[in-house]
Amino acid sequence: MILFDGKQSAADALQSLAEKSTQLLSQYGRRPCLNVVIAGDDYGSMRYVASCEKNAIKAGIDCKVIRLPQTVSEIELIDRIRQLNEDMTVDGILVQMPLPQGVDANKVIQAVSPDKDVDGITDTNTARLWKSRKNDYSRFCVPCTPRSVMRILKETIVELDGKQAVVIGRSNIVGLPVSKLLMNENATVTVAHSHTQNLPALLRQADIIVAAVGKARFVTADMVKKGAVVIDVGINQDPMTGKMCGDVDTERVAPLCSVITPVPGGVGLLTICSLLENTLDCFLRQQH
Ligand code: NAD
């Protein structure tokens, strides 16, 4: 059984980014630059943004955080994003969710230029993803968490062609893009959701399970077949201990698996690396 080491993988990714961005600095006179827009003081968002800043330093990428008050209006937010779209020194724009009440998040997201959409969630980039084929991601950013899931599968040399995959969750930022990326690799994909019937039976058929439900220890050992690959995207608070845990009962599921990702220390660590890689990719596309 391989217990995926997200720490090592993230360290390698940041090191590789640092080397590339040093090279870009000497070639183009500046480093790739990410701007993160955050409105209000949501605790989870502030932690995520602080982690972006810390990891951007390690990756040699400039990261500027634009902190706006909880009272900011939709128009002000969109104006700010339009300014960033015009600014040639800004390569990537991340709008941190949640936005304050009364602000239409979709309108704000759609205001981001698709060329700077490091989250890959504008309608233009969603359409590009759904029309994409295997290894055909050079024109847009693949959403960060799905990009990390695919990286893990690649790094652990999981064969996807012809395999049965079940993705639990159909959100626009995780479940749906992961399912498309798996299909691009010729896996046969089932997307399960809150109305799916007899999920345990579906999961027992799966060679690959991607859990993106948001429910602590939702996937239990009786649902997993021997030798399965289990990617745990969930970030939950364990109701018993109060500590962070995933969507999978890792302790009991791991002995059955060929590969499993821990929480913490798995997918989550790579998501920020994917964000910084997407920033560097936007920089390169802008130069060309
Ligand atoms: P979401 O709430 O948007 O989606 C959850 C999905 O789970 C929905 O599609 C829903 O239909 C499905 N679901 C709910 N109950 C179910 C059930 N009983 N059976 C089958 N499906 C069920 O959540 P999301 O934004 O996709 O995030 C999912 C999890 O991943 C959360 O824990 C979130 O914190 C985590 N997450 C982690 C990262 C990371 O970098 N590791 C990034 C984004 C989200």
Side-chain angles (χ1 to χ4, degrees):
M1 187 272 293
I2 298 171
L3 179 66
F4 178 73
D5 184 351
K7 248 189 189 168
Q8 186 59 52
S9 177
D12 292 347
L14 293 173
Q15 168 75 28
S16 159
L17 275 167
E19 283 162 17
K20 285 182 194 153
S21 75
T22 303
Q23 206 182 326
L24 292 176
L25 176 64
S26 64
Q27 200 173 342
Y28 296 104
R30 71 173 184 89
R31 297 174 181 280
C33 174
L34 170 68
N35 275 223
V36 182
V37 180
I38 176 168
D41 54 4
D42 175 75
Y43 176 72
S45 291
M46 297 217 303
R47 276 191 60 171
Y48 183 72
V49 170
S51 185
C52 287
E53 286 180 287
K54 199 174 88 186
N55 284 290
I57 292 170
K58 290 185 193 161
I61 287 182
D62 289 336
C63 176
K64 193 170 155 206
V65 180
I66 296 156
R67 293 186 168 81
L68 301 172
Q70 184 76 28
T71 51
V72 69
S73 71
E74 191 176 292
I75 291 175
E76 285 168 318
L77 252 169
I78 290 175
D79 268 358
R80 197 63 200 254
I81 287 166
R82 291 204 174 122
Q83 286 166 19
L84 298 177
N85 287 342
E86 299 294 314
D87 186 338
M88 294 304 283
T89 65
V90 175
D91 303 295
I93 303 168
L94 171 73
V95 182
Q96 184 59 40
M97 298 293 149
L99 292 174
Q101 267 194 349
V103 172
D104 182 337
N106 188 48
K107 276 194 191 158
V108 176
I109 288 167
Q110 301 312 327
V112 175
S113 160
D115 296 336
K116 299 190 179 191
D117 170 22
V118 278
D119 241 355
I121 52 170
T122 56
D123 288 351
T124 302
N125 288 332
T126 302
R128 285 172 172 160
L129 175 67
W130 283 94
K131 291 185 87 175
S132 69
R133 288 161 187 260
K134 185 172 180 163
N135 300 328
D136 169 28
Y137 312 116
S138 58
R139 286 176 55 224
F140 64 98
C141 292
V142 169
C144 301
T145 303
R147 181 173 176 161
S148 308
V149 170
M150 299 312 286
R151 171 202 286 264
I152 292 170
L153 292 170
K154 199 169 177 194
E155 282 184 10
T156 48
I157 322 173
V158 171
E159 178 59 51
L160 296 169
D161 201 304
K163 294 291 162 65
Q164 296 281 348
V166 177
V167 178
I168 322 173
R170 57 179 167 184
S171 71
N172 287 325
I173 58 158
V174 189
L176 289 184
V178 165
S179 69
K180 174 58 179 157
L181 294 169
L182 289 170
M183 271 188 271
N184 283 357
E185 299 294 325
N186 296 322
T188 302
V189 184
T190 304
V191 180
H193 47 76
S194 51
H195 292 244
T196 297
Q197 293 187 4
N198 210 357
L199 181 62
L202 273 179
L203 291 177
R204 279 193 287 270
Q205 308 270 317
D207 303 306
I208 297 142
I209 296 173
V210 179
V213 196
K215 292 188 173 165
R217 300 206 170 86
F218 180 81
V219 178
T220 49
D222 58 310
M223 302 177 186
V224 177
K225 83 170 177 187
K226 204 162 186 303
V229 172
V230 176
I231 309 292
D232 190 352
V233 179
I235 301 176
N236 311 297
Q237 192 178 25
D238 187 326
M240 314 287 265
T241 63
K243 290 187 181 159
M244 188 201 281
C245 73
D247 289 344
V248 178
D249 183 1
T250 316
E251 206 178 303
R252 290 178 187 83
V253 170
L256 297 165
C257 297
S258 57
V259 177
I260 189 164
T261 62
V263 178
V267 179
L269 287 181
L270 289 177
T271 293
I272 289 176
C273 297
S274 296
L275 174 69
L276 298 169
E277 283 168 347
N278 280 349
T279 305
L280 189 136
D281 291 347
C282 287
F283 175 100
L284 287 173
R285 280 195 285 270
Q286 199 169 220
Q287 305 307 320
H288 299 144

